[in-house]
Amino acid sequence: MKKFLLLLHLFIGSAFGVRAQQSRYQGEVNLGFTYGPFKTEWSALGLHTVHGARTSDHFFVGGGLGLEAVAGDSGGAGFLVPIYLDFKGFLDASKPTTGYVTLDIGLIPNFGSGDPSAGFYLCPAVGIKARRFKADLGYKLMDEFGAIQFRVGLFLGGGKYRK
């Protein structure tokens, strides 16, 4: 049984290892700060990860998951877990440094109560990519709350479109 598991592990590892080098996979990890002076004052510190595929030198689509620690002006604090689709348009991602626009659109599930509801999550932003590093500035909308968001991060994996 141990030999079978070892053989299965080697087969899967070699198959996916070769495909990863040829794939269009792109991942990223982001650390961001959000400040919302509109309607009610609130702020958040978030860690997000996005994984997806480069569809060309100019476009990327993927899925994201985040964890945000939120504090409001009324003294309330808590955690949010946004789940979203991420769309990016690059000027030309084959270049080491380029600009991009991004749109995150998704939901924030309500884990706290017995009510199976979810809030709306939307974040358009503009940014710059310099090799593996990135920074963007956007506007985050969560249900009726709006805020300015600044994120820095790293691109993981490929990042280049291969035909």
Side-chain angles (χ1 to χ4, degrees):
M1 185 65 176
K2 287 182 183 180
K3 289 180 184 179
F4 174 73
L5 291 175
L6 178 62
L7 183 61
L8 181 65
H9 177 71
L10 288 174
F11 174 74
I12 291 172
S14 64
F16 285 107
V18 170
R19 286 297 301 153
Q21 293 174 357
Q22 298 171 351
S23 77
R24 298 174 183 168
Y25 167 78
Q26 176 182 306
E28 62 187 69
V29 63
N30 301 304
L31 180 63
F33 178 74
T34 305
Y35 177 68
F38 314 109
K39 293 188 183 177
T40 61
E41 190 171 314
W42 61 280
S43 60
L45 184 63
L47 180 65
H48 291 245
T49 182
V50 177
H51 301 276
R54 180 67 62 85
T55 58
S56 73
D57 279 337
H58 300 282
F59 299 105
F60 164 83
V61 64
L65 178 68
L67 178 63
E68 297 200 10
V70 179
D73 62 353
S74 60
F79 289 96
L80 299 175
V81 182
I83 302 168
Y84 54 91
L85 290 175
D86 180 66
F87 302 96
K88 281 189 181 51
F90 293 91
L91 291 176
D92 187 356
S94 64
K95 307 256 192 248
T97 303
T98 188
Y100 65 89
V101 294
T102 182
L103 176 67
D104 300 340
I105 184 167
L107 298 172
I108 302 173
N110 185 0
F111 296 113
S113 66
D115 180 24
S117 64
F120 183 70
Y121 179 83
L122 178 72
C123 185
V126 295
I128 188 165
K129 166 191 166 291
R131 299 199 186 277
R132 299 183 79 82
F133 299 99
K134 64 178 284 257
D136 58 46
L137 181 65
Y139 182 77
K140 184 186 292 185
L141 184 64
M142 296 188 306
D143 283 335
E144 71 273 6
F145 300 110
I148 296 168
Q149 175 178 267
F150 176 70
R151 295 184 293 198
V152 293
L154 290 172
F155 284 106
L156 311 171
K160 288 190 178 180
Y161 175 72
R162 295 182 179 95
K163 296 178 184 174

